[in-house]
Amino acid sequence: MLAHIGRRLAGLLLVLFLVAALVFFLTRLAPGDPAALMLGDQATPEDVARLREAYGLDKPLLLQFVLWLKECATGNLGQSIFLQQPVTQALLQRAEPTFFLAMFSLAIAAAIGIPAGIASAVWRGRPIDQAVSGLAMLAANIPSFWLGLIFIQLFAVRFGWFPVAGYGAPDASFFERLQHLFLPSAVLGVVNSALITRFTRASMLDVLDADFVRTARAKGISELRVVLRHAFGNALVPIITVLGLTLALLIGGAIVTETVFGLPGVGNLVVSAVLRRDYPVIQGALLAVAAIYALINLAIDVIYTLVDPRVRQ
Amino acid sequence: MTAPLLAIEDLAVSFRTEEGEVTPVRGVSLQISENETVAVVGESGSGKSVTSFATMGLLPRPAGRVSQGRILFRRRSGDTIDLATAPRATMQALRGAEIAMIFQEPMTSLNPVLTVGEQIAEAVRLHLGYDRRKAWAHAVEMLGLVEIPDAARRASDYPHHMSGGMRQRVMIALALSCRPALLIADEPTTALDVTIQAQVLTLLDRLRRELGMGVLFITHNLGVVAEIADRVTVMYAGEVVESAPVRDLFNAPRHPYTRALLECMPSRAIQDASGRRVVRSIPGQVSRVERGCAFAPRCADATPACSVEAPMLESDAGRQTRCLRWRELA
Ligand SMILES: Nc1ncnc2c1ncn2[C@@H]1O[C@H](COP(=O)(O)OP(=O)(O)O)[C@@H](O)[C@H]1O
Ligand code: SF4
Ligand SMILES: [Mg+2]
C-alpha cells in the first residue's frame, strides 16, 4: 500500500513537471508584455527595458523556465509582477474562500445528488425517476452566473437573508463568512449535483439487480437497509470518483461564481493576473491547481481501498 | 394428519412485459412436510426459479405477481398463511427466519464489501435478537457447522477470498443461521464442480436431518434427485406434469416427459458407432401451444386429441400426472 502511494507520488511529480512546462510556455505565447502594461502608454522604451530586466523577462525563455523551476522546487512559486508579493503568499491569501466554496459546494451537490440518484434508481421508471432526471437535466444546463444572479436577486436583495456579495470584513467571524459563502455554494452545489445524481443512479441501477442484493432481501432485512447498506455500499466506488472529480473541477473552475459574488478567491486572482499578464501568478496558480487535482486523485485511490476490500491487495 | 408445511395450490405467476402479460408459471401444485425433501426438476426455463421466488415473496416488483392460486405456509406459531397475499411486513419477518433460500450462483450471491461473518450475523441479529458479539459467535458456529475449516478466522474473510464451494457453504450457513422450517435450494450445486457438488449435497442432507427442515430442492439434474429427494415434482413449460415419490418416479414414470428425461440421464448414455458415450436429449424445444398439452409438439406418444384437450393434473395412488394417456401408456 505505502509502496503504491510512493509510486503514485513519483508519477505525480512527473505530471507536475509537464504541467509546469506547459503553463510556462503557453502563458508566454499570449501576446502582450507585462512591463509595458504596468507602465502604461507614457512609458519610454528604456523604462520598460529596466522593468523587464528587474523581473528577468529579458533572459532567454529556457533560462527563465529553469530559474522558475528552481524557485518552485523551494516551494516559492515566484514573485508577482504587480502585487509586490510572492505568488505563494498571494495564492494562500485567496485560498480560503476558494477552498471553503469548493467544499461547501461539494457538500451541497452530494446532499442533493446522492439521495436523488438513489431514489431515482430505486423507483426506476416511476414519476419520481422522471422528475429527478428532468431536474438534473435542467440543473446541468443552467449557467452558473445566471443562477447566481437569480439567487442574489431573490435571497439577498428581496428577502435580505444573505449578503449580496463579498466575503465580509477582514476580521469577520466564521459565521459571517458562512453567510457570504452560502449563496455561491448553493449555486455551485445545484449546478454540480446533476452529474452526481446521474452517476449515483447509474451505479445504483448496476447493483440493485445484483444477486447479493437478492440474497440480502432473502435474509428478511428491511428494504431501506437493503438499499442503503447492501446496494449503496457497493455503488460507492464510481460515486467517490465523481465526487473527487467534482471537487477538482470546483477548485479549478469556480472563477465565474467567484466573480459574480465578488469573492476574493483564487479564481479572481487568476482573472486579474491574466488581464495584466502577471506571468508568475498565472503559472503559480495553474500549477497549484494541477497539484491539487493530482492529490485529489491520489486521495480517491486511497479511499477506494477503504470502501472496497477487493481493491486492497 | 397435520397440514403440510408448504402447500402450493394451482399457482400461476405473471409478468408484465413490453409485449404484454406473460404467465410463465401456471398450474403448479406441490406439498412439502417437515423433514421432507421435495425435488423440482425441469429443463432450464420451465419456471422453477419463478416458483421459488413467488414462495419467498421475491418476485421482481412491480412486474411480477402471483396471478392465481395459493401458497399456504404453516408458521411456527401454528397459523397457516397464504404467502401470495401476505403483507410485505409479514413476508419480511418470515424470510430468513422461517423460510430461507440458497441460490444457484455462489460467486455472486454474497455481498463483496462485507465479511462473510458480518453477512451471517446481520440476519442473526435481526431475527434472533442477539447482540453484536453473540451474533458473531453464532455466525462462527454456523460456519463450523457447514464444515468450513478454521471458521473463527474465515468469518473475517471477504467472499473474494473464498472458492465457489466455500461460498456456497457460507450461503448455506447464512440460510440456516436462524433455523428456518423451510429451505428453498435453487440449483445449489449446479455451478460447482462434481466433487464439490457431492460434498455440498451430503452436507445439505445432514443438516436437513439435524434441523428437521422441509427442503424444496430445485435442480435439472435427475442424478441429484435420486440421491436426496423423497418426492419429485417434474415441471414442463411452467406446469407440473408429474409428481411422485422418488422411487416410483424412477421405477415407473407415468408422464412421457418424465420418461424422456430419465432416458436422457448420463448414467443411461449409449455408445455411438465409434464407441463414444452419447447422452441423448429430448428432440425439439419448448414452444408455446395454443391449446392442448404443452408437451405435445415433442411427445413421442402424442395423438391428435392431445392438441385439442389440455390434460388436467390427475391424482392416483399418491402420485399426480398431467397426461391424457397415462393410463393406457402405463
Ligand atoms: N422478470 C421476468 N419477466 C418476464 N419473464 C420472466 C421473468 N423472470 C422469468 N421469466 C420467465 O419465466 C420463465 C421461467 O424462468 P425460470 O423460473 O428462471 O426458469 P428455471 O429456473 O426453471 O430455469 C422463463 O422462460 C422466463 O422467460
Ligand atoms: S397428453 Fe398427449 S401429448 Fe401430452 S404428454 Fe400425454 S400423450 Fe404426450
Ligand atoms: Mg432457475
Side-chain angles (χ1 to χ4, degrees), chain B residues 44-45 48-50 104 186-187 218:
Chain B
S44 171
K48 307 183 297 292
S49 296
V50 168
Q104 180 176 346
D186 188 358
E187 310 214 24
I218 293 172

Side-chain angles (χ1 to χ4, degrees), chain B residues 209-273:
Chain B
R209 260 180 285 117
E210 284 173 16
L211 301 178
M213 293 179 295
V215 176
L216 179 63
F217 193 99
I218 293 172
T219 179
H220 59 245
N221 182 343
L222 275 173
V224 170
V225 172
E227 274 178 57
I228 61 149
D230 300 309
R231 286 187 68 86
V232 190
T233 293
V234 181
M235 286 183 68
Y236 183 81
E239 292 177 330
V240 168
V241 295
E242 177 159 15
S243 181
V246 68
R247 194 178 297 262
D248 295 351
L249 187 104
F250 277 82
N251 289 342
R254 282 177 177 173
H255 196 282
Y257 177 62
T258 313
R259 225 171 287 135
L261 272 185
L262 287 171
E263 276 161 20
C264 296
M265 283 179 68
S267 60
R268 308 207 182 170
I270 50 172
Q271 297 203 333
D272 70 4

Side-chain angles (χ1 to χ4, degrees), chain A residues 181-214:
Chain A
L181 284 170
F182 187 84
L183 285 185
S185 304
V187 168
L188 287 176
V190 167
V191 171
N192 283 284
S193 67
L195 190 67
I196 296 176
T197 305
R198 279 186 211 156
F199 259 76
T200 305
R201 179 179 185 274
S203 135
M204 284 295 288
L205 282 180
D206 270 352
V207 293
L208 275 172
D209 286 335
D211 291 336
F212 62 82
V213 170
R214 186 182 59 192

Side-chain angles (χ1 to χ4, degrees), chain A residues 109-271:
Chain A
I112 298 172
I114 291 176
I118 292 177
S120 185
V122 167
W123 288 288
R124 162 180 23 175
R126 311 274 190 90
I128 189 167
D129 181 24
Q130 284 153 6
V132 165
S133 300
L135 287 175
M137 176 106 91
L138 195 67
N141 289 298
I142 294 178
S144 54
F145 77 88
W146 184 82
L147 190 62
L149 293 176
I150 297 278
F151 275 19
I152 290 176
Q153 183 58 34
L154 207 62
F155 300 113
V157 177
R158 169 87 53 100
F159 298 134
W161 294 343
F162 299 98
V164 172
Y167 196 48
D171 59 346
S173 68
F174 186 66
F175 178 70
E176 282 173 69
R177 298 271 190 246
L178 275 185
Q179 281 189 313
H180 278 96
L181 284 170
F182 187 84
L183 285 185
S185 304
V187 168
L188 287 176
V190 167
V191 171
N192 283 284
S193 67
L195 190 67
I196 296 176
T197 305
R198 279 186 211 156
F199 259 76
T200 305
R201 179 179 185 274
S203 135
M204 284 295 288
L205 282 180
D206 270 352
V207 293
L208 275 172
D209 286 335
D211 291 336
F212 62 82
V213 170
R214 186 182 59 192
T215 304
R217 291 203 175 101
K219 285 201 275 197
I221 57 183
S222 70
E223 191 59 22
L224 190 70
R225 201 171 159 89
V226 169
V227 169
L228 293 186
R229 184 169 199 223
H230 290 270
F232 186 62
N234 277 277
L236 270 178
V237 163
I239 295 174
I240 287 165
T241 310
V242 75
L243 290 182
L245 189 74
T246 303
L247 181 64
L249 291 174
L250 280 167
I251 285 180
I255 297 177
V256 172
T257 307
E258 279 183 11
T259 310
V260 170
F261 285 92
L263 285 178
V266 174
N268 245 323
L269 178 70
V270 171
V271 170

Side-chain angles (χ1 to χ4, degrees), chain B residues 255-257 293-296 299 301-303 306 311 322-326 329:
Chain B
H255 196 282
Y257 177 62
C293 171
F295 188 54
C299 181
D301 302 306
T303 62
C306 299
R322 190 190 295 275
C323 171
L324 296 174
R325 304 187 60 209
W326 73 265
L329 293 171

